[in-house]
Amino acid sequence: MAARRALHFVFKVGNRFQTARFYRDVLGMKVLRHEEFEEGCKAACNGPYDGKWSKTMVGFGPEDDHFVAELTYNYGIGDYKLGNDFMGITLASSQAVSNARKLEWPLTEVAEGVFETEAPGGYKFYLQNRSLPQSDPVLKVTLAVSDLHKSLNYWCDLLGMKIYEKDEEKQRALLGYADNQCKLELQGIKGAVEHAAAFGRIAFSCPQKELPDLEDLMKRENQKILTPLVSLDTPGKATVQVVILADPDGHEICFVGDEAFRELSKVDPEGSKLLDDVRSHSVTQAELEFLNSSDPLASASKWL
């Protein structure tokens, strides 16, 4: 499965200005591309919403070799109720820790040199206070599971992931497709996994020719397919094919054809300008209040 790679995690965001401040000014990520859509996605990339929405990709480097965040914004929706499904993203960056302290962004040291913080909306991030690694600073995404053994059968036996670490006592396992990629950590919890309205989605790529086989495998194994193989259009950019799956706990998983996705995901040098142009025409009341706050870092000129 060396041809498969981890791509991004999808977050729904209710306030783009506060969210932008966190990802850019605290974490130190950059805008990679921004896209606007007039109606809901055929694969529900923006959740179960039919109206106008936007997608902003942010990360430490190009999507070809970095795990990034996909920030989806549904116009008119200001917040989303959190579940217990998403447990955090861990990254290595002493600069992010320094930025958070400088900006007085709340930090809690949960282990030696590891700080917990939250993105707007309540999404947890864990910052390791060490230099950026030569590869991707984003180390792992942690998702809650109700039955670790059952989840491992799904992610490893069906999706072909390798087990890097496993701790039966702590009910956790670290999985991945390659040593130099962001890993998926499964953490067992007591009780059911609840996704609520803020549920996200983790995305991977594979050769496009594998998508029909992957879909057929899930059908044979009686696994849930949320969206059968479909083509998704992005205005002015490449069309990609995707299959959307759900694991035993209902975590959404997107597999996209790698060849077209590499074309779609090229860094757009106009990404920040596109956001600025959108900003000037579509500021919500909550965003306006944020922009008019006394914090100089909240000024419009600092938005992404």
Side-chain angles (χ1 to χ4, degrees):
M1 297 295 179
R4 295 186 177 183
R5 61 191 178 101
L7 299 179
H8 55 256
F9 193 85
V10 182
F11 295 99
K12 298 186 190 73
V13 303
N15 187 313
R16 285 176 292 185
F17 298 99
Q18 291 175 330
T19 299
R21 183 189 180 200
F22 176 78
Y23 283 94
R24 194 209 52 216
D25 296 339
V26 177
L27 297 187
M29 290 183 175
K30 297 180 180 180
V31 178
L32 304 174
R33 54 189 170 101
H34 175 79
E35 293 144 6
E36 292 280 330
F37 301 88
E38 292 300 321
E39 58 185 22
C41 174
K42 289 188 290 185
C45 300
N46 61 315
Y49 306 95
D50 295 328
K52 184 177 179 180
W53 65 289
S54 71
K55 173 197 299 182
T56 307
M57 311 302 291
V58 294
F60 289 104
E63 293 175 70
D64 272 359
D65 52 14
H66 288 77
F67 189 88
V68 308
E70 176 177 317
L71 310 177
T72 62
Y73 174 76
N74 290 291
Y75 283 82
I77 300 180
D79 64 307
Y80 302 88
K81 182 180 178 181
L82 286 172
N84 64 359
D85 51 347
F86 174 79
M87 300 187 74
I89 284 181
T90 300
L91 58 91
S93 173
S94 56
Q95 186 61 54
V97 174
S98 176
N99 291 344
R101 287 170 170 163
K102 180 180 178 181
L103 299 175
E104 298 184 350
W105 198 278
L107 285 177
T108 301
E109 190 165 15
V110 293
E112 185 176 355
V114 179
F115 296 86
E116 178 185 297
T117 190
E118 289 185 3
Y123 305 110
K124 292 187 182 300
F125 281 74
Y126 294 90
L127 313 180
Q128 295 184 0
N129 192 16
R130 59 187 178 91
S131 300
L132 291 172
Q134 291 183 342
S135 57
D136 191 356
V138 182
L139 304 179
K140 64 182 179 181
V141 177
T142 305
L143 300 179
V145 298
S146 59
D147 185 327
L148 182 60
H149 179 72
K150 187 175 182 180
S151 294
L152 287 176
N153 286 342
Y154 181 91
W155 288 93
C156 298
D157 296 346
L158 298 183
L159 297 186
M161 279 193 150
K162 171 186 173 183
I163 297 177
Y164 281 83
E165 298 174 13
K166 185 179 178 182
D167 189 326
E168 292 281 2
E169 184 177 351
K170 294 183 179 179
Q171 283 293 289
R172 65 170 291 273
L174 193 69
L175 316 177
Y177 282 121
D179 295 354
N180 63 345
Q181 292 183 17
C182 175
K183 305 300 186 297
L184 171 65
E185 182 178 54
L186 303 178
Q187 177 61 62
I189 63 171
K190 294 181 179 179
V193 175
E194 302 291 344
H195 298 278
F199 67 90
R201 174 183 290 176
I202 192 166
F204 304 90
S205 73
C206 67
Q208 184 169 309
K209 65 182 181 181
E210 290 185 10
L211 292 174
D213 295 336
L214 178 60
E215 184 178 30
D216 289 343
L217 172 63
M218 293 301 164
K219 289 178 180 177
R220 292 197 305 271
E221 296 293 329
N222 294 316
Q223 298 295 329
K224 185 174 290 187
I225 299 173
L226 298 176
T227 303
L229 185 60
V230 65
S231 295
L232 301 181
D233 298 322
T234 298
K237 297 186 179 182
T239 296
V240 298
Q241 289 191 311
V242 305
V243 173
I244 312 297
L245 311 174
D247 81 347
D249 288 295
H251 290 292
E252 293 195 0
I253 309 155
C254 175
F255 272 91
V256 58
D258 189 76
E259 300 87 344
F261 186 79
R262 287 185 184 273
E263 180 66 26
L264 169 68
S265 63
K266 289 181 178 179
V267 175
D268 183 356
E270 297 296 311
S272 290
K273 182 179 183 301
L274 289 172
L275 280 168
D276 287 336
D277 292 344
V278 170
R279 176 193 64 201
S280 64
H281 294 97
S282 57
V283 180
T284 67
Q285 182 61 36
E287 291 169 337
L288 185 61
E289 290 174 0
F290 181 76
L291 290 173
N292 290 334
S293 69
S294 59
D295 187 343
L297 287 169
S299 66
S301 63
K302 293 289 287 181
W303 183 47
L304 286 176

